[in-house]
Amino acid sequence: MANVVVIGSQWGDEGKGKIVDWLSERADVVVRFQGGHNAGHTLVIDGVSYKLSLLPSGVVRPGKLAIIGNGVVLDPHALVAEIDRLAGQGVEVTPRSLRIAENVSLILSLHRELDAFRESSNAGTRIGTTKRGIGPAYEDKVGRRAIRLMDLADLSTLKDKIERLLAHHNPLRRGLGVAEVDPAAIYEELASVADKVLPYMDIVWRILDGARREGKRILFEGAQGALLDIDHGTYPFVTSSNTVAGQAATGAGVGPGTLDYVLGITKAYTTRVGEGPFPTEQQNAVGDFLGTRGHEFGTVTGRKRRCGWFDAVLVRQTVRTGGINGIALTKLDVLDGLEEIKICVGYRLDGREIDYLPAAQAAQARVEPIYQTVEGWRETTAGARSWADLPAQAIKYVRLVEELIGAPVALLSTSPERDDTILVEDPFQD
Ligand code: IMP
């Protein structure tokens, strides 16, 4: 039985929500393995729109087990708010449908404050984060001073853990000129939510091992995209977790052999939010066209996304670093009506042609795209459910993308509606 990992192959916002929902119908278990509520997935089911940030997309489908793995950073108050919001839409999340790893690290208010402070300072350190406290929470995890979910189950030891955490944070805050944190306030912040989140706590690696042995289908749901990976992305303009498929194993507690198929969600053009290099960015009428047509505004922060042409160099690279077996190509219809379409096929760097994105920050800022221009199509591709519904030029574009990135299109999504999908290869197939 195949297990599938879904990751974004660009800078996030590739349309993972719809594909994960579509795949979750075939899965028994859906697992988040990195990131936190910086993610924003919109699912449209029977015309009803659900916005998820922290919860695995499978949570809206009855009978599926949703899991938040240890690789996630969890804001317990945001979790409760999201569960309440879904309840208001008639979706009940219970400890039977959601399990959370006991060793997941928590995001606290002090992480959010530090994130926001750094982003608002003029020190030239702006990353354009979502200000959810993601980076500072991962710093504390790696710094071995994080408060983890299991710590809420033993309030007698929590005070010591908070002291240990504040021994780092308060001197830092003093140095930054920010008011120190009172340990009692953090204790209260955590104690007040403990009863609401502890019922979901479990030994996730064991549940997943059992599911695997029983031949259940597991879907690993990535957030953000491979170019925001802390190691393989456009550092330092990245998120603070590994977003490539390898992280699905460590972030959930399964061996790498459990990951059978990696599906890279890939938008037919490119977007990014926040700061950082973006070689094919179009700060012109083309960018405006893509942004307006594609409704390119952030699900979490509402920020306008930067837009540009498809960059085959970047996706070819993330096919390699992300271990992508096939892609789901999304938002092809946004290109409908363009007379010509450009695809970046290489870069020029200091007079030299290269076929990869260099790792150095300065070089990433300097690369100039080399474009191949192809003819567009007049007809609409929106809502197509078979290849026969697509104009010949659109099929040519898809074939060129496949050839340039070195991975096949397994799924083609032609509208936000889940049924408007062309299935070429079922990632769950044995
Ligand atoms: P952080 O994850 O909030 O620390 O933000 C770091 C970078 O990742 C910023 O450029 C964010 O805009 C970007 N980012 C974080 N989450 C998402 C997402 O779900 N989609 C797209 N970009 C994201």
Side-chain angles (χ1 to χ4, degrees), residues 20-269:
V20 170
D21 173 54
W22 194 86
L23 287 168
S24 69
E25 202 177 33
R26 294 165 163 71
D28 301 297
V29 184
V30 185
V31 190
R32 279 280 309 265
F33 55 86
Q34 48 73 227
H37 64 313
N38 50 348
H41 293 171
T42 306
L43 312 180
V44 182
I45 302 173
D46 297 331
V48 182
S49 182
Y50 302 92
K51 290 196 187 307
L52 301 178
S53 279
L54 188 52
L55 291 168
S57 296
V59 88
V60 295
R61 305 223 147 254
K64 309 293 175 189
L65 179 62
I67 287 184
I68 295 180
N70 55 279
V72 168
V73 279
L74 180 104
D75 180 329
H77 291 278
L79 175 80
V80 171
E82 194 167 322
I83 290 174
D84 288 348
R85 217 167 36 244
L86 277 184
Q89 288 191 284
V91 177
E92 213 194 336
V93 177
T94 69
R96 283 178 45 140
S97 59
L98 173 69
R99 314 301 294 158
I100 305 176
E102 55 181 358
N103 50 347
V104 81
S105 293
L106 300 183
I107 300 180
L108 313 180
S109 54
L110 55 79
H111 296 126
R112 237 178 6 251
E113 286 161 16
L114 188 56
D115 198 352
F117 178 82
R118 286 175 180 160
E119 286 293 301
S120 62
S121 79
N122 290 322
T125 52
R126 242 181 80 82
I127 302 293
T129 74
T130 59
K131 299 186 190 165
R132 297 292 188 271
I134 305 292
Y138 275 120
E139 287 169 32
D140 281 347
K141 172 180 176 171
V142 178
R144 294 165 291 201
R145 54 181 172 263
I147 309 281
R148 303 191 291 172
L149 181 57
M150 66 181 80
D151 298 330
L152 304 190
D154 186 1
L155 291 178
S156 66
T157 62
L158 187 58
K159 284 195 173 127
D160 287 347
K161 297 211 165 77
I162 292 172
E163 290 292 349
R164 193 172 137 73
L165 181 69
L166 294 188
H168 172 81
H169 277 272
N170 275 339
L172 178 63
R173 291 170 74 105
R174 270 201 304 277
L176 293 170
V178 181
E180 289 186 30
V181 179
D182 177 5
I186 298 289
Y187 181 86
E188 182 48 33
E189 175 182 327
L190 291 171
S192 67
V193 81
D195 285 350
K196 293 185 188 137
V197 292
L198 284 174
Y200 299 99
M201 183 170 86
D202 216 323
I203 304 170
V204 155
W205 63 265
R206 214 164 54 178
I207 297 176
L208 290 173
D209 185 52
R212 195 178 57 79
R213 286 172 194 278
E214 286 168 30
K216 294 215 167 120
R217 289 174 164 186
I218 307 170
L219 178 63
F220 296 88
E221 177 184 2
Q224 291 86 46
L227 293 167
L228 290 168
D229 184 279
I230 186 77
D231 288 296
H232 301 289
T234 46
Y235 191 91
F237 302 102
V238 291
T239 192
S240 298
S241 62
N242 284 111
T243 55
V244 293
Q247 173 64 17
T250 43
V254 300
T258 305
L259 317 175
D260 297 301
Y261 187 98
V262 181
L263 183 69
I265 314 298
T266 306
K267 190 147 41 180
Y269 51 98

Side-chain angles (χ1 to χ4, degrees), residues 22 327 387 398-399 402 408-412 421-427 429:
W22 194 86
I327 66 164
W387 290 104
V398 175
R399 294 295 176 228
E402 287 181 314
V409 169
L411 293 162
L412 188 67
T421 306
I422 300 173
L423 176 65
V424 182
E425 174 190 26
D426 185 347
Q429 239 161 32

